[in-house]
Amino acid sequence: MTTDLGVEPTPLALLLLGRQSDPASERGTACPGELPPASDPDLVDRARAAKDALGERLFILGHHYQRDEVIQFADVTGDSFKLARDAAARPGAEYVVFCGVHFMAESADILTGAHQQVVLPDLAAGCSMADMASAEQVAEAWDVLTDAGLAGDTVPVSYMNSSAAIKGFTGRNGGTICTSSNAEVALRWALGKGQRVLFLPDQHLGRNTAVGRLGLSLDDCVVYDPRKPAGGLSVEQLRDATMVLWKGHCSVHGRFSLECVHDVRRRLPDVQVLVHPECRHEVVGAADLVGSTEFIIKTIEAAPAGSTWAIGTELNLVSRLAKAHPDKTIVFLDKTVCFCSTMNRIDLPHLVWALESLVDGRVVNRIEVDPRTAADARKALDQMLALPAR
Ligand code: SF4
């Protein structure tokens, strides 16, 4: 079977889409309650009823990469930072249900008031990229820079897609958070303040921004591998680098290859290739346009009827864009299915379970950042907000 987007679903992808069942699929998931079965035909009505019962006390956030079955209940949709800000702008909402992944719910908790409780419907919805930089590993890297006498003129810049602990480290050490929309401004700010940047945790966003936007060369970048002693780098390499890139990546965007770009150009000669900056450097270099999720959405909205696009980002979003713009040809850049599997953990049964628990007065799967980490992380987030607009 091939879909309209030209991709071939695998059994795993179908499972993640909820079109097949696996009795062991909840294995390892901390879900302290009875989930309704995915086959329950009343799930949509149950979600709607619970949402109506909670009224203004509830605010549901839906990330662009979420499934349609969940997105239909979102009060707002957006990327991770927009959603956290949207939550902060709704102080009247007692419960913020975040349909996204763990680091996003943490950011919402940091930015919302103490009276607001943030809920992640499935605690197994993590982010493989965020998990690639633990607090201990980053503290060790900072020790390496300190011992080399380089920490004083190194500024940490952490992507929004990082844990609260990493955001806290960034705030404690005078750095800033960035998103894929403002990474260029963040790097210019940081390099105006110090000699080099420690960029966490996505090496691709760091490299693509430094080389593609700031005009640095690939030789100005080194990759710090947390699994190797001293990151696998000599003191000289660290000293000479402008960008110390953490060896992390997004398992979804990292799958797109140069061959995918060549292949789609062969199949669709008029195609324009539009990719996210979390893709590998050679893919970004071969694309026609590169930009954040919001940029991708706006580009497609503004594109003329009859134009043809191959998009390199998460498949739920690409499918939704294709449905919303039937006057344009929109295909997925890869030939195989590429969902964010952790985003897909948030499905209708988990949402119904979380909402009905709230109706019963039980707050389940609450995400709470400890006050000290939250205060440090807030400094780094505030620094991002203080960055000049582009
Ligand atoms: S798409 Fe990539 S960066 Fe985003 S949540 Fe999934 S794994 Fe993390």
Side-chain angles (χ1 to χ4, degrees):
M1 176 170 89
T2 301
T3 69
D4 293 348
L5 293 168
V7 294
E8 294 153 12
T10 60
L12 175 63
L14 287 170
L15 178 65
L16 295 169
L17 275 168
R19 291 192 198 143
Q20 286 184 348
S21 63
D22 175 0
S25 65
E26 290 302 317
R27 194 172 42 209
T29 306
C31 184
E34 283 291 305
L35 282 183
S39 56
D40 182 343
D42 296 329
L43 283 180
V44 169
D45 290 342
R46 285 172 64 174
R48 199 165 288 135
K51 194 173 177 210
D52 289 348
L54 291 161
E56 294 293 306
R57 297 168 68 203
L58 171 71
F59 194 45
I60 302 181
L61 306 170
H63 190 272
H64 286 309
Y65 299 169
Q66 289 286 303
R67 303 155 177 256
D68 288 350
E69 70 183 38
V70 166
I71 278 289
Q72 64 180 319
F73 293 104
D75 293 304
V76 287
T77 59
D79 63 17
S80 57
F81 186 62
K82 174 183 180 293
L83 292 176
R85 273 200 308 199
D86 286 346
R90 283 290 292 263
E94 200 177 324
Y95 307 122
V96 175
V97 173
F98 209 124
C99 297
V101 294
H102 194 267
F103 76 80
M104 299 178 185
E106 284 186 328
S107 299
D109 185 56
I110 292 165
L111 292 172
T112 51
H115 63 289
Q116 294 178 286
Q117 304 188 68
V118 178
V119 168
L120 183 66
D122 185 346
L123 292 179
C127 164
S128 54
M129 179 201 287
D131 288 345
M132 288 177 196
S134 72
E136 296 72 29
Q137 289 172 327
V138 174
E140 208 177 297
W142 199 245
D143 285 346
V144 169
L145 286 162
T146 303
D147 292 346
L150 300 172
D153 57 9
T154 301
V155 181
V157 176
S158 295
Y159 190 21
M160 193 70 185
N161 300 17
S162 57
S163 67
I166 301 307
K167 291 188 177 78
F169 158 85
T170 308
R172 271 196 307 285
N173 291 289
T176 187
I177 305 302
C178 74
T179 67
S180 52
S181 307
N182 70 2
E184 177 184 347
V185 181
L187 285 190
R188 289 191 191 283
W189 169 83
L191 290 173
K193 192 177 171 205
Q195 293 292 312
R196 75 188 64 70
V197 163
L198 171 62
F199 194 88
L200 301 153
D202 181 17
Q203 58 168 308
H204 299 305
L205 177 64
R207 185 181 294 107
N208 288 328
T209 310
V211 176
R213 305 283 181 160
L214 270 65
L216 298 182
S217 84
L218 287 174
D219 292 341
D220 294 319
C221 308
V222 292
V223 176
Y224 182 99
D225 184 345
R227 285 158 301 185
K228 292 186 178 163
L233 297 168
S234 66
V235 171
E236 290 70 34
Q237 284 174 305
L238 285 169
R239 190 195 311 117
D240 294 345
T242 307
M243 294 291 296
V244 180
L245 304 169
W246 193 262
K247 193 170 183 189
H249 65 274
C250 166
S251 47
V252 175
H253 293 95
R255 282 176 55 113
F256 299 112
S257 66
L258 197 51
E259 180 49 33
C260 297
V261 180
H262 294 328
D263 181 63
V264 81
R265 290 201 195 280
R266 273 193 297 269
R267 287 185 285 129
L268 302 167
D270 293 333
V271 75
Q272 292 186 74
V273 177
L274 171 58
V275 301
H276 193 280
E278 287 172 21
C279 292
R280 290 186 232 167
H281 188 60
E282 63 269 25
V283 173
V284 165
D288 298 296
L289 290 168
V290 54
S292 65
T293 305
E294 296 291 339
F295 173 83
I296 290 172
I297 294 169
K298 285 192 182 127
T299 301
I300 295 299
E301 280 170 357
S307 55
T308 302
W309 297 88
I311 306 182
T313 191
E314 206 271 347
L315 185 51
N316 275 316
L317 174 62
V318 180
S319 304
R320 211 170 290 127
L321 285 171
K323 268 188 225 151
H325 299 278
D327 57 328
K328 298 157 201 173
T329 301
I330 295 175
V331 300
F332 188 58
L333 181 56
D334 199 352
K335 274 173 98 179
T336 53
V337 167
C338 190
F339 291 103
C340 175
S341 58
T342 47
M343 282 271 183
N344 271 277
R345 300 288 316 190
I346 311 289
D347 57 8
L348 206 44
H350 281 91
L351 182 62
V352 167
W353 170 71
L355 295 182
E356 289 183 345
S357 299
L358 292 176
V359 172
D360 291 345
R362 284 178 295 116
V363 180
V364 294
N365 288 4
R366 182 173 178 193
I367 303 299
E368 254 184 309
V369 178
D370 75 84
R372 199 165 154 213
T373 304
D376 287 341
R378 182 83 204 219
K379 278 188 221 160
L381 286 163
D382 286 345
Q383 175 53 61
M384 175 173 78
L385 294 173
L387 291 173
R390 290 197 61 207

